[in-house]
Amino acid sequence: MSTSDISLTAGMRTNLLNLQSTSKLLNRTQERLSSGKQVNSALDNPTNYFAAQNANQRASDLSDRKDGMSEAVQTVGATNAGITAITGLINAAKGIAQSALSTSDTGTRSKLATQYDTIRSQIDNISSDSGYRGLNLLSSTNTLTVNFNEDASSSLDVVGFLGNASGLSLSGASGAWATNSDITTDTAKMDTAISTLRSNTQTLAANLNIITTRQSFTDAMVNTLQTGADNLTLADMNQEGANMLMLQTRQSLGTTSLSMSSQAAQSVLKLF
């Protein structure tokens, strides 16, 4: 039996339509309260839905870049730790050289020269141990590329350098430091090595400042994008709660009204 085969009074049909409309509104309000969003699909508001989706996708892409920036900070930090340690060893070697200059005993100078060569070997060890996750900016001219935006069109290349004894032009003790000129020659090489390390430290510090600044900027951009997406889609929970109470009241009144309409039709039966 089709709906058209059943005859209803005008009042009953009106009440039924109102109840159906109220039921749809209740379902929509319940969905908003459960999800916390006013726009849950493109059917709710196509413009806001797709705009929010694009903003969230970009925020997600930028969040992925933040991980790369964090790893880059650690890599640069490992390099800086290596430079600091190597600089300390070179300063210690300069102290040994000064001790050699203060004595004329050949045997003592020879022992001090051996200590200097030991320090040189430790410089090589520190240089090779200053890597982070397989990338060492002190072992060769490796390049660390840090991408800042979602399509990698904005990036920074951090170029390493050879920070071992050979790369710093620190050769073995000249002539076993038998003469003052041998010692002063090696001391001059140590001064040059320290200058090289300081220059590279300044470059690393500048690069690190750029990376950390972009980290902060990326954090702010992700927050802005997510807030913008939320403004387009989130529901006002106070308003939706009030709507739910109002719709429940309307549904109850609609049911009562439908009952009253049906009672009017039933009164006809009392005539028989």
Side-chain angles (χ1 to χ4, degrees):
M1 180 181 294
S2 64
T3 305
S4 60
D5 294 332
I6 303 174
S7 297
L8 300 175
T9 64
M12 293 181 69
R13 289 191 180 278
T14 301
N15 286 324
L16 281 173
L17 289 174
N18 287 335
L19 279 173
Q20 290 172 353
S21 175
T22 301
S23 179
K24 290 180 181 179
L25 292 174
L26 272 171
N27 291 335
R28 187 187 71 178
T29 303
Q30 287 173 345
E31 182 182 18
R32 290 178 177 179
L33 287 171
S34 61
S35 66
K37 292 184 176 182
Q38 184 177 9
V39 179
N40 289 284
S41 69
L43 297 176
D44 297 328
N45 188 321
T47 301
N48 286 8
Y49 177 78
F50 288 112
Q53 193 174 52
N54 288 335
N56 282 325
Q57 287 175 349
R58 188 184 178 203
S60 177
D61 292 339
L62 290 176
S63 294
D64 292 338
R65 293 303 185 194
K66 281 172 54 182
D67 295 336
M69 285 182 258
S70 296
E71 290 297 283
V73 169
Q74 298 306 313
T75 301
V76 174
T79 304
N80 183 66
I83 291 176
T84 301
I86 291 171
T87 301
L89 287 177
I90 294 176
N91 285 326
K94 288 179 64 177
I96 292 174
Q98 291 299 319
S99 296
L101 282 174
S102 65
T103 182
S104 58
D105 182 67
T106 304
T108 301
R109 286 189 171 187
S110 178
K111 290 180 180 179
L112 292 173
T114 300
Q115 292 179 20
Y116 167 72
D117 287 335
T118 299
I119 288 177
R120 284 183 62 256
S121 66
Q122 288 303 313
I123 290 174
D124 291 338
N125 292 337
I126 290 176
S127 173
S128 63
D129 292 339
S130 296
Y132 178 78
R133 297 192 66 177
L135 181 61
N136 192 336
L137 297 178
L138 288 181
S139 63
S140 65
T141 54
N142 290 323
T143 300
L144 170 65
T145 300
V146 189
N147 295 316
F148 295 131
N149 60 355
E150 58 271 30
D151 59 0
S153 60
S154 176
S155 62
L156 174 69
D157 289 334
V158 182
V159 181
F161 67 99
L162 192 58
N164 58 14
S166 176
L168 296 173
S169 300
L170 296 175
S171 57
S174 302
W177 285 1
T179 64
N180 288 348
S181 61
D182 293 332
I183 300 172
T184 54
T185 296
D186 288 343
T187 300
K189 291 179 180 179
M190 287 183 263
D191 289 334
T192 301
I194 288 177
S195 296
T196 300
L197 291 172
R198 287 176 178 172
S199 175
N200 282 282
T201 299
Q202 292 174 351
T203 302
L204 281 175
N207 289 332
L208 183 60
N209 182 59
I210 293 173
I211 296 171
T212 54
T213 299
R214 287 304 301 249
Q215 270 187 311
S216 299
F217 170 76
T218 302
D219 285 333
M221 277 301 300
V222 168
N223 182 67
T224 298
L225 290 167
Q226 290 176 337
T227 301
D230 289 343
N231 289 339
L232 292 172
T233 59
L234 289 185
D236 184 338
M237 303 304 284
N238 292 326
Q239 179 180 345
E240 297 303 329
N243 288 343
M244 175 62 74
L245 181 60
M246 180 271 294
L247 289 170
Q248 288 173 340
T249 303
R250 182 193 295 182
Q251 187 179 51
S252 178
L253 291 174
T255 302
T256 302
S257 179
L258 180 62
S259 176
M260 293 175 65
S261 297
S262 65
Q263 287 175 3
Q266 290 174 0
S267 63
V268 178
L269 294 175
K270 297 179 180 180
L271 299 176
F272 298 94

